[in-house]
Amino acid sequence: MALNPQQQRFVEEYLVDLNATQAAIRAGYSEETAGSQGGRLLKNVEIGKAIADAMAERSVRTRVTADRVLTELARIGFGDIRSVVAWRANTAETGKEDEDGVPETRAFNEVELIGSAEIDHDAAAAVAEISQSKDGALKVKMHNKVAALQEIGRHLGIAQKVEPVGPDGAPPVFTFKLDRPAQS
């Protein structure tokens, strides 16, 4: 059975943000009943098939697959700052001498970016931001490793969201269960 124009519009709108209530409103259903209408529409077998088909077509068209998403999450979750920067302790003479005539030194840390031509794709994908202040200080910000690992855990079925929001509006709290052998 073919979808009517309003149902087809719901399918198209649902693909925008995967929000059934908002898709129902944008498809022309009443705002007062959009929540229940959206839920009802998602339970419709023909609409569910149309959504699945449209998502599959979009996945092929955009070349965005579950495997690519999981790969990108893994790059972030298992990223290591040492693949992007190198640091070491160093000393330098201050230009002053102590009372015995021995040059004074000061200890400092040196941080050096590894060249963009030298880092691999996985390391580059884990970097969210690199900036340098006017005084030359480097800042390297990595993507949220914990969030990526939580998403990987949910995808693999070993992480379950316990609370939608943590204390004081903090991110959700997840628990991990490892009740099956880890795979490498």
Side-chain angles (χ1 to χ4, degrees):
M1 175 169 136
L3 302 181
N4 68 39
Q6 194 173 28
Q7 291 172 325
Q8 182 59 44
R9 178 69 190 264
F10 171 80
V11 170
E12 293 164 3
E13 293 295 337
Y14 183 74
L15 293 176
V16 170
D17 56 10
L18 305 181
N19 183 316
T21 301
Q22 292 303 310
I25 292 169
R26 292 189 303 261
Y29 292 90
S30 160
E31 285 191 37
E32 292 79 31
T33 62
S36 59
Q37 285 283 31
R40 183 184 59 76
L41 290 164
L42 286 178
K43 291 178 185 174
N44 179 300
V45 173
E46 295 299 318
I47 290 173
K49 183 179 180 333
I51 289 171
D53 290 348
M55 287 178 142
E57 288 173 19
R58 179 173 62 185
S59 181
V60 168
R61 184 176 64 253
T62 62
R63 297 180 311 155
V64 175
T65 64
D67 284 349
R68 281 194 65 201
V69 170
L70 189 57
T71 297
E72 198 67 16
L73 286 169
R75 287 179 174 138
I76 294 167
F78 301 113
D80 186 333
I81 189 92
R82 294 172 298 178
S83 61
V84 180
V85 297
W87 60 90
R88 63 193 153 277
N90 207 340
T91 59
E93 292 186 9
T94 64
K96 300 177 183 176
E97 295 180 352
D98 65 15
E99 62 266 356
D100 296 328
V102 177
E104 290 183 2
T105 61
R106 67 174 178 83
F108 64 96
N109 293 312
E110 291 181 315
V111 177
E112 178 180 52
L113 284 175
I114 295 174
S116 60
E118 298 172 40
I119 65 172
D120 64 20
H121 188 69
D122 291 346
V127 175
E129 175 186 336
I130 296 176
S131 60
Q132 189 168 14
S133 68
K134 290 179 183 178
D135 67 356
L138 292 174
K139 175 183 175 185
V140 177
K141 180 179 177 184
M142 306 295 279
H143 286 290
N144 188 331
K145 187 179 197 86
V146 173
L149 291 172
Q150 289 170 339
E151 283 301 313
I152 291 168
R154 284 183 349 110
H155 178 81
L156 297 176
I158 61 171
Q160 299 166 337
K161 191 181 291 187
V162 175
E163 299 174 24
V165 179
D168 299 322
V173 176
F174 286 79
T175 58
F176 289 87
K177 60 177 182 153
L178 297 174
D179 55 4
R180 58 183 178 189
Q183 298 175 357
S184 50

